[in-house]
Amino acid sequence: MSQLSPATADYVLSAKAGIESLEYIDDLLREYLLFRGFTSTLQAFESDLEQDRDQGFHADKIVDELLSMARELRVDSLQEYWKYLSFRFFSHLSPKYQRTTKMFEKRLLRLFLVSAAKAGRRHDIRTFMGRHGTELGQQSDWIPWLGLEYIDQPHERPEFEAYFADEWAASLRAALADFMQTVFPAMAVPRILLFDKDRREREALQRKLHIFEEHMRGETKITAHEVGDGSGPVGLVEDHIGPAVVSPRLLPALSTSGRPAELDHTTEPVHTSEPDRAAVHVVPTDEPSSVLRISQEDIFLEHNAGISMAKFSASGELIASYDDESVLRVWAPDPSSTQPKLKNELDFAVTAMAWDRRHTHLLYLYDESGFIHTLNTKSNLLGRHPVFDRRHPWLQCMLPSAASSTLLTVCSAKPESSSDVAVLLWDAAASRTVASRRLPASPDAHGVCAALNHNDTLAALAYSSGHIRLIDARSLETVATINTAQRDVCAVELSRDEDSLVVVTESGALTRWSLRKSHELLAESSLDIGASALPDSRLDCDRVAFTPDRDCIVVAPRDQCLIFNIDSASLSDCTRRHKDLISVIDVAADRMLSASEDGTVRVAQYRKV
């Protein structure tokens, strides 16, 4: 498919932004007409709005109207309204979409026939076929429908069974709504609809300039925005991590306190007068190149229920968040962004979520039935593909590849135990599983986390029991194993030079293990998270994240994020507190997010000092 030219793409985005501003422009027109005293014109304007067949360009309202006509057996109104939509909107589309529009027209007519059959209204079916039977009979797929009125139990016939299922009607609504949402940006919009977009862009530029000025003065600004609606031979790891590289930042094993033996007391500690930061002691560090500081925090009110998943896209421009009411939102934390903003009320429960790291507009959702759904955030179209392993139905983790559109999934045989797991490599481009392997059991493990190296040739699987398995991420064969003898492991990551593994436990213990000499402990320390004093401060895989350069680690033991330097285990900064416990965190190149059980998302920008 050929890509749009920059000018065309910019126009499509502008048109979409203009349509989204329709209600704002309507209010401006009302205000203007009142100001000018054009009351009769205002009355006519309001009257036309009440009879607006375009439904304010709301795709959901148009789709609901079409489905209501079909279910209420108003077939004449249905056909007339579809003819209007074809002339008003579909005629502006590329000819390649003609087949799509014909397909949806056919499905709406079949929904009418199914509704009539369910209601026992055979005379409506007879009347419809009397008018259109000859024309429809020219199409082979319509021939079985010509005798629908004479069948007593059509829902039991294999040719009609799928159409009588509630799932078919639900999928029709979702697909039709997605299609309508792609139609509106293809329209030629009047210049007045672009007024609000230009206004918002100017305001965003002013805010950016103001923030930049504050950064130059070394200030930190916190604002709030309310946004609407196998075991194997040891020693093969070198084949994956390359020649030996000595890390210039690697420290010897630290004391259990997590602090170096000596601290540079001349380093100025961080002070703050804010009450919600006063409880956290910030330890000075002698490695300023790896110290992160929060420069700005924004809070977003995106959800009405607790958020269970939230992730940055590969570019960091978009955030996908999913809540306990199965509402999925895709949105941009930058108010000046022209990226699409989506809200989907899903009819399935999501158990894992990952962005494609090459095609940044694709989002993968793994549901509890073992299907991967691919969401195109540009068109809001959702595909569904089975990857279900009947012997290992419970997903433990899912990692996207940086080198290709593949996903590495780790599944267990039981929900409460990950001792018996299977690893699958799923190709999103081909929509198929390209490799799978069942791994030997790790006794007493109740969870497993994983990490990939930069070119996706090596994967590290860390069991909660402390057993680590290194596998070839292409063949899924085990190349080495490490037994850390730790308990309650909740996160693992490769070091910056990828010659060692960083392992984190639920209590905040931080250890580093060599990939060249298995079982060799290189360093150990402890993150000061207060896990011993507060039981609910223990970490899990959703509340541990590493910065892209792997110099720092972000954890959220309770209601705020803490940033630690990995080498020194020193605390360099922390975010403001949420009103409720944090459920998930994520880190991008220059910002981090924390999502809470109260439905809020806090996005904090950080920088190295």
Side-chain angles (χ1 to χ4, degrees):
M1 183 182 297
S2 61
Q3 295 183 346
L4 297 176
S5 66
T8 304
D10 181 68
Y11 173 79
V12 170
L13 290 174
S14 299
K16 185 173 183 179
I19 290 173
E20 291 174 349
S21 304
L22 198 64
E23 294 181 2
Y24 175 77
I25 300 300
D26 287 345
D27 288 338
L28 287 182
L29 289 175
R30 292 187 183 96
E31 184 178 339
Y32 174 76
L33 293 175
L34 284 173
F35 174 75
R36 294 296 305 273
F38 298 156
T39 55
S40 59
T41 306
L42 177 60
Q43 291 175 356
F45 178 63
E46 295 289 358
S47 176
D48 288 340
L49 285 179
E50 292 178 359
Q51 304 175 37
D52 181 19
R53 303 187 72 181
D54 298 337
Q55 303 289 346
F57 296 99
H58 292 292
D60 289 339
K61 292 183 179 180
I62 292 177
V63 171
D64 289 341
E65 182 69 15
L66 289 168
L67 297 182
S68 176
M69 291 176 177
R71 287 169 172 150
E72 296 173 4
L73 309 184
R74 294 182 287 135
V75 67
D76 292 336
S77 300
L78 173 65
Q79 290 179 301
E80 194 274 333
Y81 191 33
W82 186 262
K83 185 181 297 183
Y84 167 79
L85 295 175
S86 299
F87 176 78
R88 181 81 167 91
F89 301 118
F90 306 153
S91 60
H92 300 284
L93 297 176
S94 169
K96 65 183 179 182
Y97 289 105
Q98 291 181 0
R99 181 177 179 181
T100 303
T101 59
K102 290 292 185 183
M103 175 195 70
F104 282 121
E105 181 182 15
K106 178 191 299 184
R107 291 182 178 179
L108 286 170
L109 292 177
R110 290 181 176 179
L111 178 60
F112 155 74
L113 293 172
V114 167
S115 300
K118 287 181 177 180
R121 302 276 292 273
R122 297 193 178 191
H123 63 280
D124 289 310
I125 301 177
R126 186 182 307 111
T127 302
F128 176 80
M129 290 301 180
R131 295 179 181 176
H132 308 285
T134 302
E135 177 185 355
L136 297 177
Q138 304 301 316
Q139 305 172 42
S140 59
D141 60 331
W142 272 104
I143 292 178
W145 293 82
L146 299 179
L148 181 63
E149 64 171 301
Y150 304 107
I151 302 175
D152 291 332
Q153 301 292 334
H155 62 278
E156 297 180 356
R157 299 288 293 270
E159 60 267 39
F160 302 119
E161 181 181 2
Y163 296 96
F164 281 83
D166 294 337
E167 291 80 5
W168 179 80
S171 64
L172 172 60
R173 188 194 183 285
L176 187 54
D178 290 339
F179 175 67
M180 293 301 301
Q181 288 174 349
T182 64
V183 170
F184 299 144
M187 297 177 56
V189 297
R191 287 178 297 172
I192 192 173
L193 284 183
L194 305 182
F195 165 78
D196 186 46
K197 171 180 175 291
D198 295 337
R199 176 186 64 83
R200 287 187 281 112
E201 287 182 347
R202 286 195 301 270
E203 292 178 351
L205 288 175
Q206 291 174 351
R207 286 194 296 269
K208 277 189 172 182
L209 179 60
H210 182 61
I211 292 172
F212 177 75
E213 291 173 346
E214 290 178 340
H215 287 183
M216 295 297 291
R217 293 196 299 267
E219 297 180 355
T220 299
K221 176 74 172 177
I222 298 180
T223 59
H225 298 288
E226 181 170 349
V227 185
D229 295 354
S231 177
V234 175
L236 298 180
V237 182
E238 280 75 4
D239 298 335
H240 300 268
I241 64 177
V245 178
V246 178
S247 172
R249 306 171 60 80
L250 185 61
L251 299 181
L254 304 177
S255 65
T256 56
S257 65
R259 303 181 184 179
E262 296 182 0
L263 288 175
D264 183 3
H265 295 286
T266 62
T267 304
E268 182 181 358
V270 176
H271 298 283
T272 175
S273 60
E274 298 174 5
D276 54 4
R277 291 198 185 195
V280 179
H281 176 58
V282 180
V283 180
T285 175
D286 57 356
E287 297 190 13
S289 61
S290 294
V291 174
L292 299 186
R293 291 286 186 263
I294 304 296
S295 59
Q296 178 184 346
E297 292 185 48
D298 304 317
I299 188 166
F300 297 87
L301 311 178
E302 286 290 327
H303 291 265
N304 297 321
I307 300 173
S308 56
M309 299 178 205
K311 285 190 178 295
F312 282 111
S313 63
S315 63
E317 297 181 19
L318 291 174
I319 294 175
S321 50
Y322 174 80
D323 66 25
D324 296 337
E325 294 180 349
S326 296
V327 175
L328 173 70
R329 287 184 177 270
V330 179
W331 50 282
D334 187 345
S336 64
S337 174
T338 58
Q339 294 285 351
K341 183 177 180 180
L342 306 177
K343 176 184 177 182
N344 291 295
E345 298 181 4
L346 305 179
D347 57 359
F348 55 89
V350 179
T351 59
M353 179 167 61
W355 287 91
D356 193 302
R357 297 173 64 182
R358 296 185 65 195
H359 306 285
T360 57
H361 63 289
L362 297 180
L363 177 66
Y364 302 115
L365 308 171
Y366 193 103
D367 71 16
E368 60 184 359
S369 300
F371 287 83
I372 287 182
H373 304 254
T374 304
L375 176 65
N376 186 326
T377 60
K378 290 183 178 180
S379 62
N380 202 27
L381 296 177
L382 194 65
R384 182 171 179 257
H385 314 281
V387 292
F388 183 68
D389 183 343
R390 295 185 181 276
R391 293 175 297 181
H392 301 84
W394 303 99
L395 183 73
Q396 293 289 329
C397 58
M398 180 170 68
L399 297 176
S401 167
S404 62
S405 293
T406 57
L407 293 171
L408 182 75
T409 63
V410 182
C411 303
S412 63
K414 298 179 180 179
E416 70 281 357
S417 172
S418 61
S419 60
D420 181 16
V421 301
V423 182
L424 288 84
L425 200 61
W426 188 74
D427 187 342
S431 300
R432 65 185 182 92
T433 300
V434 295
S436 64
R437 186 175 295 271
R438 179 182 178 183
L439 301 180
S442 175
D444 302 325
H446 58 80
V448 61
C449 51
L452 286 168
N453 68 344
H454 74 284
N455 59 0
D456 303 321
T457 59
L458 182 69
L461 273 61
Y463 295 81
S464 62
S465 58
H467 180 79
I468 297 177
R469 187 178 300 277
L470 304 174
I471 65 173
D472 186 317
R474 297 158 297 189
S475 65
L476 304 184
E477 294 182 356
T478 299
V479 297
T481 60
I482 301 174
N483 186 10
T484 68
Q486 292 182 295
R487 307 295 298 179
D488 298 328
V489 171
C490 66
V492 65
E493 184 58 273
L494 282 88
S495 63
R496 183 175 187 176
D497 46 26
E498 297 191 345
D499 65 353
S500 61
L501 281 176
V502 179
V503 180
V504 185
T505 68
E506 295 178 5
S507 60
L510 186 69
T511 54
R512 200 160 178 175
W513 301 82
S514 173
L515 289 181
R516 302 186 182 277
K517 298 179 180 180
S518 295
H519 306 281
E520 181 176 342
L521 175 63
L522 300 177
E524 62 180 342
S525 57
S526 179
L527 305 177
D528 187 9
I529 62 172
S532 58
L534 299 170
D536 57 354
S537 294
R538 297 179 70 84
L539 303 175
D540 57 43
C541 60
D542 292 327
R543 294 181 293 147
V544 178
F546 295 81
T547 55
D549 60 10
R550 304 172 191 174
D551 276 345
C552 295
I553 182 174
V554 182
V555 298
R558 287 180 56 81
D559 54 3
Q560 69 177 149
C561 292
L562 311 178
I563 307 174
F564 292 89
N565 174 273
I566 291 179
D567 287 338
S568 65
S570 58
L571 178 65
S572 57
D573 210 347
C574 55
T575 64
R576 275 196 164 190
R577 297 183 184 274
H578 285 267
K579 293 182 178 180
D580 209 334
L581 296 179
I582 292 175
S583 53
V584 63
I585 65 174
D586 195 24
V587 180
D590 60 350
R591 60 184 67 179
M592 65 184 71
L593 69 81
S594 55
S596 172
E597 295 177 2
D598 62 4
T600 61
V601 179
R602 187 181 295 276
V603 179
Q605 296 184 15
Y606 64 84
R607 54 189 173 89
K608 282 190 175 183
V609 296

